[in-house]
Amino acid sequence: MDIWKLACVGLSAGFINGLLGTGGGIVLVFALDKLLKGKDGKDIFAMTLTVTLSMSIVSAFVYYLKGRLDFSTGIGYGIAAIPGGVVGAYLLNKLKTETVKKVFGVLVIWVGLNMAGVV
């Protein structure tokens, strides 16, 4: 694998994550799916979580330094997200890769339309 391509993907994902507070994982899923042909989609989703965790920690720290991080609200959502993450990880192993990719695609479209004010 070309290290420069992976570095560019990582830089792009980190930039989007830092700018928007989220979204870096979306960049990673699409890019890694193209760059790592032959890799199972489920592996790509799992790798994306690892990278997203690290860039989210760094982004959150920078937001904290700038006084833009609301711990009380964030902690509440974070704690509530834990059971969802466990169920999602369990289902990832049970569902077909094609199904997971379709769910991801529908989610990306819905969120995009919602953010654009269409939905």
Side-chain angles (χ1 to χ4, degrees):
M1 173 52 45
D2 184 357
I3 191 72
W4 294 108
K5 287 181 183 176
L6 288 175
C8 286
V9 168
L11 182 63
S12 299
F15 173 77
I16 296 296
N17 202 69
L19 179 68
L20 303 176
T22 191
I26 294 170
V27 171
L28 287 170
V29 168
F30 287 125
L32 292 178
D33 191 45
K34 299 296 179 208
L35 291 175
L36 302 177
K37 292 191 187 299
K39 203 61 150 151
D40 183 40
K42 293 177 183 181
D43 292 339
I44 290 171
F45 286 113
M47 279 188 284
T48 298
L49 286 173
T50 303
V51 177
T52 301
L53 176 62
S54 62
M55 68 183 166
S56 293
I57 289 170
V58 170
S59 295
F61 182 69
V62 173
Y63 280 118
Y64 171 75
L65 291 177
K66 300 292 183 180
R68 299 220 170 256
L69 189 61
D70 178 3
F71 277 111
S72 61
T73 303
I75 293 294
Y77 283 118
I79 290 171
I82 292 171
V86 170
V87 171
Y90 174 78
L91 287 176
L92 179 65
N93 289 321
K94 299 293 181 188
L95 298 172
K96 293 180 181 179
T97 300
E98 296 79 26
T99 303
V100 176
K101 284 184 173 186
K102 287 177 183 173
V103 168
F104 181 75
V106 168
L107 180 63
V108 168
I109 291 168
W110 181 78
V111 168
L113 291 172
N114 192 293
M115 294 295 292
V118 176
V119 177

